[in-house]
Amino acid sequence: MESYYQWLELPEHLTGRLCEAELSGRGVSVFGAERFYVGKQLKANAVRVATSSAESDEQLRRGLEVLQNFIQQREAAPLFIV
């Protein structure tokens, strides 16, 4: 079974909440990992990317490019987690 979303681990200096807010202003919706935490957890540097929510492959590609550019501007490469 394929997943409807992917987790993207962020560089240590970025939080999911920060990315969620910044990317929203750029027209891309992601959810910060903080939304899914239960109890006390220390790390929140990941976002959940819904890969099945885009209306077209082109919209998904553009959204992923915005996400990639946002992270690259902060001088660190992400790691994808499935």
Side-chain angles (χ1 to χ4, degrees):
M1 181 174 186
E2 293 184 31
S3 178
Y4 294 110
Y5 60 86
Q6 305 297 314
W7 283 102
L8 175 64
E9 185 175 334
L10 301 166
E12 287 189 30
H13 63 282
L14 292 177
T15 64
R17 185 163 301 187
L18 171 71
C19 290
E20 189 174 322
E22 290 282 329
L23 290 168
S24 176
R26 298 175 190 210
V28 175
S29 296
V30 296
F31 289 119
E34 298 91 338
R35 290 179 177 264
F36 304 96
Y37 282 175
V38 176
K40 290 186 177 183
Q41 295 191 7
L42 301 175
K43 296 229 176 192
N45 53 334
V47 291
R48 190 176 87 166
V49 179
T51 52
S52 64
S53 296
E55 294 179 13
S56 67
D57 290 344
E58 178 63 21
Q59 185 184 41
L60 176 60
R61 185 188 62 74
R62 284 194 319 263
L64 291 174
E65 285 175 354
V66 170
L67 177 57
Q68 179 184 25
N69 291 336
F70 172 77
I71 293 170
Q72 285 177 342
Q73 288 174 354
R74 278 134 185 93
E75 303 176 345
L79 299 173
F80 277 94
I81 303 172
V82 178

